[in-house]
Amino acid sequence: MEKSNLSYSDNHHVLLSPPDVYVEPEVPDPFLIDSDASDEEQEINAEGKQGQLSTTTPTRSFSQQNLSRDTPPSPPDESEEEAPEIYLPGLVSPTMFLPIPNTDPLTTLLNKYIHPPERRPARDVSGEWQKNNFHTLVMTNSWRALAKMARDRLVTTDPEDLVLVLGLWYLRLACLSRLRLFNQTSVECTNLFSVLNSVEPQEAKAWLFGKLLPFELEVMYVRLKYWAGDHMGYLDALNALLRKCKLKARMAPRSDPTTSAMWKERGARVTLIIASQLCEMKEFGAATKILEPLCHQSEPTSALRSALARVYLQSGYMEKASAHFAFVEKSPDASEGMKDMNQALLACANGEWDVASGILTRLIGKEPDNFVAVNNLSVSLLSQGRLKEGIEVLEEALKASPASIVVAEPFLFNLSTLYELRSATATQKKLNLLLEVAKWSGDGLKTTCLKMPSN
C-alpha cells in the first residue's frame, strides 16, 4: 500500500504499516482515575479563582470527533445563589469579526485548469443566507452562508441574552473552521475569550465559565493550539480540559446523577480526541493506553472496541486487535456492517487481499451506500494488481451518488491516485473529476485530495 500512497478508510483512521521498532511513551492517567483529595481541593480553589482554561503538566504522548452534536445544559441547582448580572456588549460588536474571503480553493483550481471559463460550474461564494433555511444550509455544506448568518444575528442580538449569544458564537467559529479558515477562526475565538476573561468580579466570571459557556467553545479554544502547530501544547490543554471533566463529575451532588453523567460523557469525548491526536502523531501505543480503560470502566460500545482494535492494527499488535474484534463479533449491539468491516480490515492487515475483497463486495451488496467499504475495496483490488477494477468501483460509486461522494476526501484522494497510476489518461480523468466535484461540493473541501497543485 505504501507504493500507491492510498488511504484505507475506517471512518477516522488510516491503516498504515507498523513501525519497525516501537517504544511506548508514558501517558497520563486516563479518564476517571481519581487523583488525590489534596489535588482535587487545589483544582477546586484554582477554578474558583480563575474561571478559565489552564494548562497542567505536559503530557508525553498523544482527528476529529464530532463536537457539533447537542450537549445537554447543566441542570440548575436551586441551592445556589441567584445568577449575577453580566452585560457584555463587546460580544456583539461588529469589530469582533473579520470579513470572510469571497473565494475558495475549488474556485482557484477551476480558474487554473478549466478553460474556457464557460465550462466552469458556477459556485456561490457570496455567503447569502436569507433565501435558505438553516437545515438546507447545513445539508448542503454551506458553511460560508452559515458563518455570515451567525455574524449577522450576533450584531443584532441583545447582549443580555448570553445563552443565545454564546450559541451563535459557537456556530460562527465552527463554520469558519469547516471553511478551513483557521487563522481567522483563531483570531475571532481569541477575541471572544478576551471579552469573557475581562468579566469582573471574579465570582461573576467563575459563574459565566462554569454555568453558561458551552463546552464546545472550550474545546474550540483548546483547538487553537493545534491550528498554530503546537501539538504538544494542544495535548496539554486537552489534558487540562479532561481534568476539569473529572473534577466536575466527582463534585456533582449524589442527588443529581444527570450532571455527573453529563461530565463523564464529556470526559469520554475529550479522551477520544486525545487518542485521535496521538494516532495522528503516530503514538499508537499511547492511544491504546488512553482508550483501554474506557473499555473496562463502563459498558463499552462496539464502536469503541472496533476503534481500539483498528488502532492496534496500525501499531502492529495483531493479537490484541483480533481479541477486540472477536469481542465485537459476539456483541449483540454491533451491526453486521461493522462486523464485516472489521473482518476486512483484519484480512488486509494479514495480507489476505482476496479475502478482504470478498468480504467488502458482500458488504457493498447489502449496503450500496457504504462508501467507506467502496473506498477500501478499491485499495484491496489495487493490492492484487487489479488497477482497472479498482478505478471502476470508485467511478461507479461516484456516478451513483455524486453529492455524497464529493465530501469524502479519502475517496477522492484514492481515485486521483489510481488515475495517476494509470498515467495514460490521468490528466483528463482528473480534470473531469474536478468538474464533477465542483458541481456538487459545498464549502470547505480539502482540495489537496484531488492532487492538483493550485500554484
Side-chain angles (χ1 to χ4, degrees):
M1 285 189 353
E2 290 183 272
K3 293 182 180 179
S4 57
N5 196 29
L6 295 187
S7 296
Y8 203 108
S9 305
D10 57 3
N11 291 324
H12 295 291
H13 304 296
V14 176
L15 188 61
L16 302 174
S17 299
D20 295 330
V21 179
Y22 186 79
V23 179
E24 295 185 355
E26 297 180 0
V27 293
D29 289 339
F31 180 61
L32 294 186
I33 300 298
D34 289 340
S35 57
D36 295 333
S38 59
D39 293 338
E40 178 177 318
E41 184 177 353
Q42 292 175 4
E43 292 184 57
I44 296 173
N45 295 334
E47 184 174 7
K49 293 179 180 178
Q50 297 179 6
Q52 58 183 327
L53 293 176
S54 60
T55 57
T56 57
T57 305
T59 61
R60 298 301 302 273
S61 59
F62 219 95
S63 103
Q64 179 177 31
Q65 301 295 317
N66 178 16
L67 300 179
S68 61
R69 67 186 185 194
D70 293 334
T71 302
S74 302
D77 189 343
E78 297 179 356
S79 64
E80 293 184 359
E81 298 180 359
E82 185 179 352
E85 293 185 4
I86 301 177
Y87 184 69
L88 298 173
L91 292 182
V92 298
S93 171
T95 60
M96 297 282 283
F97 309 99
L98 299 177
I100 299 177
N102 59 357
T103 187
D104 67 349
L106 261 180
T107 302
T108 301
L109 289 180
L110 289 171
N111 292 340
K112 178 177 179 180
Y113 291 103
I114 306 301
H115 300 282
E118 293 76 20
R119 294 183 57 208
R120 301 167 189 163
R123 292 186 56 77
D124 182 11
V125 293
S126 65
E128 293 297 328
W129 57 271
Q130 291 83 353
K131 298 180 181 179
N132 296 289
N133 60 45
F134 181 83
H135 178 74
T136 300
L137 293 175
V138 172
M139 295 304 294
T140 56
N141 295 332
S142 300
W143 310 121
R144 179 177 278 97
L146 285 167
K148 288 194 174 184
M149 182 188 74
R151 185 264 182 201
D152 292 346
R153 290 191 60 189
L154 271 168
V155 298
T156 59
T157 299
D158 183 352
E160 291 187 355
D161 191 352
L162 277 177
V163 174
L164 176 59
V165 167
L166 293 174
L168 289 171
W169 262 104
Y170 175 70
L171 175 62
R172 167 75 176 185
L173 295 174
C175 290
L176 289 177
S177 67
R178 290 276 192 155
L179 288 167
R180 302 185 186 276
L181 299 174
F182 301 127
N183 289 337
Q184 182 169 347
T185 310
S186 298
V187 169
E188 294 191 12
C189 190
T190 301
N191 290 344
L192 167 64
F193 276 85
S194 295
V195 173
L196 297 178
N197 285 321
S198 67
V199 171
E200 295 291 345
Q202 287 295 321
E203 291 75 12
K205 180 178 176 181
W207 186 88
L208 170 63
F209 276 81
K211 298 296 182 181
L212 279 188
L213 185 66
F215 184 70
E216 289 78 10
L217 275 177
E218 294 192 72
V219 176
M220 180 77 70
Y221 190 54
V222 167
R223 187 74 172 167
L224 301 189
K225 292 183 179 293
Y226 176 85
W227 292 328
D230 183 8
H231 290 188
M232 292 305 300
Y234 178 47
L235 287 173
D236 293 343
L238 284 172
N239 189 47
L241 195 57
L242 179 57
R243 288 169 63 86
K244 175 180 178 177
C245 294
K246 293 165 57 180
L247 175 64
K248 292 286 188 179
R250 290 198 301 268
M251 290 181 61
R254 292 185 178 181
S255 59
D256 184 14
T258 302
T259 297
S260 177
M262 178 185 69
W263 283 105
K264 287 181 179 180
E265 190 271 344
R266 288 176 172 178
R269 287 166 58 193
V270 174
T271 302
L272 291 174
I273 298 173
I274 294 174
S276 178
Q277 176 61 21
L278 288 171
C279 285
E280 184 176 323
M281 298 169 65
K282 304 295 189 293
E283 298 283 1
F284 300 116
T288 57
K289 283 188 176 181
I290 289 288
L291 293 175
E292 277 283 6
L294 292 180
C295 292
H296 302 290
Q297 292 170 350
S298 61
E299 187 67 27
T301 64
S302 297
L304 175 61
R305 288 275 191 178
S306 294
L308 178 56
R310 295 171 191 186
V311 176
Y312 275 127
L313 281 186
Q314 293 182 85
S315 58
Y317 291 103
M318 304 297 294
E319 184 177 347
K320 291 185 176 181
S322 299
H324 283 284
F325 281 146
F327 181 92
V328 175
E329 189 69 25
K330 299 176 183 178
S331 177
D333 71 319
S335 67
E336 290 302 315
M338 178 184 293
K339 295 176 181 179
D340 287 343
M341 184 64 73
N342 289 344
Q343 292 175 10
L345 290 172
L346 186 59
C348 290
N350 287 320
E352 300 170 348
W353 299 105
D354 55 338
V355 175
S357 296
I359 296 172
L360 292 168
T361 300
R362 184 177 70 246
L363 174 57
I364 295 169
K366 295 183 292 185
E367 302 177 9
D369 294 335
N370 190 332
F371 302 118
V372 173
V374 173
N375 193 45
N376 290 346
L377 176 58
S378 71
V379 178
S380 63
L381 289 172
L382 174 65
S383 299
Q384 299 171 67
R386 298 157 67 180
L387 173 59
K388 183 179 179 181
E389 293 177 60
I391 293 176
E392 290 174 351
V393 163
L394 296 180
E395 288 182 335
E396 288 173 5
L398 178 60
K399 183 178 179 180
S401 185
S404 301
I405 290 296
V406 296
V407 298
E409 291 163 5
F411 186 104
L412 299 176
F413 179 84
N414 281 0
L415 183 53
S416 298
T417 301
L418 293 179
Y419 284 153
E420 290 179 347
L421 293 175
R422 202 177 187 190
S423 57
T425 59
T427 301
Q428 189 56 50
K429 287 282 190 178
K430 289 172 70 174
L431 289 176
N432 293 339
L433 180 60
L434 171 61
L435 287 171
E436 193 70 13
V437 169
K439 290 178 187 177
W440 297 98
S441 177
D443 301 319
L445 182 73
K446 189 176 182 180
T447 54
T448 53
C449 67
L450 298 172
K451 308 185 75 171
M452 302 177 72
S454 59
N455 52 31

